[in-house]
């Protein structure tokens, strides 16, 4: 969440979560990766990737997080955030040769009868030239036990020319997303980190579903400072071509993206610590432009600020502002606001529609063991139910290897919903256990409360709680050997306080990961 800049789990992109989970086991080898490879993972901005590449070429490998934090555009906070996902080893000898990864998961659910899900995904890498990924899965609730989703791709990097080709499923993300950015495009703007997108170009997804990926062929040609990307995607018997030409300099980048229906020009630069970014796009079908522009900068030692304005001439205008004040070891305070003006009214009673969202988030460390988190969000709109107020407080106690957390969540929209839980965790080198017991009272669907549930990698869940009931969840993870990890989750949710009887749900999940 910190790395992606979000403060609420249910606003995260599940594919992004799964990708970062994989990097924890297979971190980026920062000292041996090229500038284009550093950009492709979406962790570093193009400017940060250029700074790393330039620094290593001048001074040699980066040997510590302190050294990384000293680079322009990084800092201690960002270095701490990326630490779990990178390796500062001076070489990549352990990752050379042939590597395999296999993950198998299965789940059994009971709710008015038995149902289940399963998934298998496999990844093979031959040196740094060939990468193949494949997965099949079945979601609970489908008509048959046959797989309901398939995903797979293979990439090949030529030895003599700087060309990489991908066939199958792939992600294509350029600029600020106005022309080409598959998967989620506009998340809620919270911390300053979320205001500027980090384009990754063409990448291979490795998930159990891969449902949001593009399908077809893609290629990248990397020259010294120029990258040309070409996409030929096939969807519903339609051929969708796209081309992107990007230029990368010492202080930023600019690119042109074009499809059959849209074209756009984007740029992002970092000048003396101030990030400037934007994109201008034009839709040939509607003959309407779209634009997005923003900035992010640091004021003083502890305050990060960001502003963004956007105009989608087809349906809406918007503006947002956010700031994050670091209290050092004591925590952080985040304040943001986002407003949207809709050109087409959302109901028949007004000439226009407006929505405003505000967020106040505080994380305070009382001492080395106690931490308090507070989150207040407010949404106001001129149609439907105007107000939606969400107040959440967490108290966390940590004394290794034990962790205790208590939450109270109150949400008011149509009525008022309440949710609370207590969770205990036990973590040692080869074993992690979490037990959660919760209670909720939510009579209206508009007052539903999303709550993140711990699960195995690739099974990101943040369900909406509704009704009057209790739930229990036990999650376990253990490393059986150096190459094998086992995850298990058992949960039950019941509705004993409902006036109208509602069946409960019990679920058991197992997942095995094997890397060799």
């Amino acid at each position: 969440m910190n790395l992606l800049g979000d403060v609420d789990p249910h606003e995260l992109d599940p594919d992004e979560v799964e990708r970062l989970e994989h990097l924890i086991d297979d971190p980026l080898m920062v000292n041996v990766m090229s500038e284009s490879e550093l950009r492709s993972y979406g962790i570093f901005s193009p400017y940060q990737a250029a700074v790393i590449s330039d620094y290593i070429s001048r001074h040699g490998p980066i040997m510590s997080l302190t050294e990384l934090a000293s680079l322009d555009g990084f800092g201690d906070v960002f270095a701490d955030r990326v630490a779990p996902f990178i390796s500062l080893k001076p070489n990549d000898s352990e990752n050379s040769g042939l590597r395999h990864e296999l993950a198998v998961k299965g789940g059994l659910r009971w709710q008015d009868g038995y149902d289940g899900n399963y998934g298998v995904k496999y990844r093979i890498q031959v040196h740094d030239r060939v990468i193949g990924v494949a997965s099949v899965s079945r979601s609970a609730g489908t008509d048959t036990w046959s797989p309901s989703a398939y995903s797979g791709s293979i990439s090949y990097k030529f030895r003599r020319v700087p060309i990489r080709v991908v066939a199958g499923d792939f992600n294509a993300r350029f600029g600020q997303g106005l022309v080409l950015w598959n998967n989620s495009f506009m998340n809620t703007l919270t911390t300053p980190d979320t205001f500027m997108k980090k384009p990754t170009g063409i990448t291979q997804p490795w998930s159990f579903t891969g449902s949001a990926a593009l399908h077809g062929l893609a290629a990248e040609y990397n020259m010294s400072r120029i990258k040309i990307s070409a996409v030929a995607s096939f969807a519903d018997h339609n051929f969708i071509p796209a081309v992107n030409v990007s230029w990368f300099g010492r202080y930023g980048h600019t690119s042109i993206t074009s499809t059959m229906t849209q074209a756009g020009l984007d740029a992002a630069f970092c000048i003396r610590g101030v990030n400037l970014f934007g994109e201008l796009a034009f839709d040939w079908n509607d003959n309407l432009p779209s634009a997005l522009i923003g900035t992010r900068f640091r004021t003083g030692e502890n305050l990060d600020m960001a502003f963004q304005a956007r105009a989608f001439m087809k349906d809406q205008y918007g503006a947002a502002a956010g700031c994050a004040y670091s209290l050092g070891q004591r925590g952080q305070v985040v304040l943001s606001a986002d407003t949207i003006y809709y050109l087409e009214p959302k109901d028949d009673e007004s000439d226009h529609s407006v929505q405003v969202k505000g967020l106040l988030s505080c994380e305070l460390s009382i001492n080395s063991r106690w931490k308090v988190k507070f989150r207040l969000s407010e949404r106001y709109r001129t149609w439907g139910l105007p107000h939606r107020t969400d107040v959440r407080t967490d108290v966390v106690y940590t004394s290794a290897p034990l962790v205790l957390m208590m939450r109270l969540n109150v949400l008011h929209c149509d009525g008022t919903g309440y949710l609370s839980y207590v969770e205990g965790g036990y973590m040692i080198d080869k074993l992690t256990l979490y037990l959660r017991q919760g209670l909720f009272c939510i009579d209206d669907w508009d007052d539903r409360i999303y709550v993140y549930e711990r699960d195995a990698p690739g099974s990101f869940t943040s369900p909406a709680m509704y009704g009057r009931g209790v739930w229990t969840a036990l999650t376990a993870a253990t490393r059986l050997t150096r190459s094998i990890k086992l995850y298990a989750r058992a949960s039950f949710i019941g509705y004993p306080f409902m006036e109208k009887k509602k069946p409960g749900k019990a679920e058991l999940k197992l997942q095995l990961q094997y890397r060799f």
Side-chain angles (χ1 to χ4, degrees):
M1 288 173 57
N2 287 334
L3 186 61
L4 295 175
D6 291 293
V7 296
D8 195 2
H10 86 268
E11 296 172 351
L12 296 173
D13 181 351
D15 288 335
E16 291 291 290
V17 174
E18 189 168 358
R19 180 177 59 85
L20 293 177
E21 285 172 340
H22 179 254
L23 288 181
I24 293 177
D25 290 328
D26 190 14
L28 302 182
M29 304 294 291
V30 171
N31 286 310
V32 298
M33 300 183 88
S34 67
E35 182 180 331
S36 61
E37 288 175 323
L38 291 172
R39 292 193 302 263
S40 67
Y41 285 88
I43 290 180
F44 303 109
S45 68
Y47 174 72
Q48 289 174 321
V51 169
I52 291 175
S53 181
D54 181 68
Y55 182 87
I56 292 174
S57 67
R58 294 173 182 269
H59 306 284
I62 300 171
M63 303 304 294
S64 68
L65 288 177
T66 301
E67 188 175 1
L68 180 67
S70 68
L71 303 186
D72 187 32
F74 285 81
D76 294 331
V77 174
F78 184 81
D80 289 338
R81 288 179 179 177
V82 300
F85 310 100
I86 65 173
S87 172
L88 298 178
K89 293 181 180 179
N91 60 67
D92 196 16
S93 58
E94 293 184 2
N95 293 336
S96 61
L98 183 65
R99 301 176 60 222
H100 304 265
E101 296 179 63
L102 175 68
V104 181
K105 72 172 184 177
L108 185 64
R109 184 176 71 182
W110 180 88
Q111 186 177 24
D112 280 345
Y114 289 100
D115 195 3
N117 63 78
Y118 61 82
V120 180
K121 64 179 183 179
Y122 171 72
R123 185 178 189 270
I124 181 172
Q125 179 172 346
V126 183
H127 299 283
D128 62 344
R129 296 180 61 196
V130 180
I131 299 177
V133 296
S135 68
V136 296
S137 64
R138 177 194 187 268
S139 301
T142 54
D143 295 333
T144 69
W145 283 90
S146 302
S148 57
Y150 303 84
S151 178
S153 65
I154 185 168
S155 69
Y156 181 79
K157 184 188 296 184
F158 289 86
R159 186 186 299 274
R160 298 184 181 276
V161 291
I163 295 178
R164 184 173 70 99
V165 178
V166 181
D169 299 323
F170 57 88
N171 289 324
R173 302 175 181 178
F174 300 100
Q176 294 300 306
L178 297 190
V179 177
L180 185 58
W181 191 289
N182 71 296
N183 259 0
S184 61
F185 163 61
M186 187 66 72
N187 294 327
T188 300
L189 301 177
T190 54
T191 69
D193 303 89
T194 61
F195 280 62
M196 182 177 70
K197 286 185 174 293
K198 300 174 182 177
T200 57
I202 296 171
T203 58
Q204 287 176 270
W206 188 46
S207 66
F208 283 110
T209 58
S211 57
L214 300 175
H215 317 287
L217 296 172
E220 288 183 334
Y221 178 53
N222 279 283
M223 291 179 280
S224 176
R225 287 295 177 185
I226 296 177
K227 183 176 72 173
I228 302 174
S229 305
V231 171
S233 179
F234 303 90
D236 299 326
H237 306 290
N238 293 323
F239 174 59
I240 307 174
V243 176
N244 173 269
V245 180
S246 300
W247 173 84
F248 298 92
R250 177 65 176 81
Y251 296 101
H253 77 281
T254 184
S255 75
I256 298 174
T257 306
S258 179
T259 68
M260 293 183 65
T261 59
Q262 290 181 298
L265 171 67
D266 70 273
F269 291 91
C270 184
I271 303 173
R272 295 185 177 182
V274 178
N275 289 282
L276 302 171
F277 58 92
E279 183 170 7
L280 176 65
F282 191 84
D283 190 310
W284 303 112
N285 290 335
D286 297 322
N287 290 323
L288 291 173
S290 298
L292 183 151
I293 189 171
T295 182
R296 180 190 172 191
F297 54 91
R298 177 180 289 269
T299 301
E301 292 293 328
N302 301 318
L303 182 61
D304 278 335
M305 302 188 70
F307 300 92
Q308 186 195 96
R310 53 193 185 272
F312 305 147
M313 300 300 184
K314 183 178 180 180
D315 55 5
Q316 63 178 262
Y317 297 89
C323 65
Y325 185 80
S326 175
L327 302 174
Q329 298 297 324
R330 289 292 184 181
Q332 178 181 251
V333 179
V334 174
L335 182 64
S336 68
D338 190 346
T339 181
I340 302 176
Y341 176 88
Y342 295 94
L343 299 179
E344 295 291 334
K346 298 294 184 177
D347 55 25
D348 298 330
E349 299 179 359
S350 59
D351 297 330
H352 60 272
S353 296
V354 176
Q355 175 176 282
V356 180
K357 288 185 176 181
L359 170 72
L360 171 63
S361 176
C362 305
E363 183 174 322
L364 303 175
S365 295
I366 299 175
N367 52 42
S368 60
R369 294 186 177 183
W370 289 94
K371 181 183 296 185
V372 177
K373 301 178 182 180
F374 175 79
R375 181 181 185 273
L376 168 63
S377 65
E378 172 68 23
R379 184 211 68 197
Y380 171 78
R381 55 175 51 164
T382 57
W383 73 94
L385 298 171
H387 291 280
R388 188 176 191 271
T389 306
D390 190 355
V391 182
R392 178 184 308 166
T393 301
D394 294 327
V395 179
V396 183
Y397 173 80
T398 304
S399 179
L402 298 176
V403 178
L404 295 175
M405 188 171 91
M406 296 165 284
R407 167 172 294 184
L408 176 61
N409 199 164
V410 180
L411 188 145
H412 177 76
C413 186
D414 187 20
T416 303
Y418 304 90
L419 180 144
S420 179
Y421 68 75
V422 178
E423 182 177 65
Y426 178 79
M427 295 176 288
I428 56 177
D429 290 340
K430 293 186 177 181
L431 176 66
T432 300
L433 287 173
Y434 278 98
L435 177 63
R436 179 180 295 185
Q437 179 66 59
L439 173 71
F440 56 94
C441 179
I442 305 166
D443 294 327
D444 298 293
W445 174 249
D446 292 309
D447 303 319
R448 63 192 180 276
I449 297 176
Y450 292 91
V451 56
Y452 165 68
E453 292 285 1
R454 300 184 188 274
D455 211 327
S459 302
F460 178 81
T461 55
S462 186
M465 292 297 184
Y466 166 66
R468 297 188 178 189
V470 296
W471 88 98
T472 302
L474 175 64
T475 308
T478 181
R479 183 183 291 274
L480 301 178
T481 68
R482 183 177 180 182
S483 303
I484 301 176
K485 286 185 177 181
L486 177 65
Y487 301 86
R489 184 174 188 272
S491 62
F492 173 78
I493 182 170
Y495 303 90
F497 311 117
M498 299 281 289
E499 295 181 2
K500 183 179 179 181
K501 289 187 178 181
K502 183 177 179 180
K505 179 176 70 173
E507 191 170 36
L508 175 64
K509 293 182 179 180
L510 295 174
Q511 179 171 319
L512 184 71
Q513 287 191 346
Y514 183 37
R515 306 180 69 208
F516 58 99

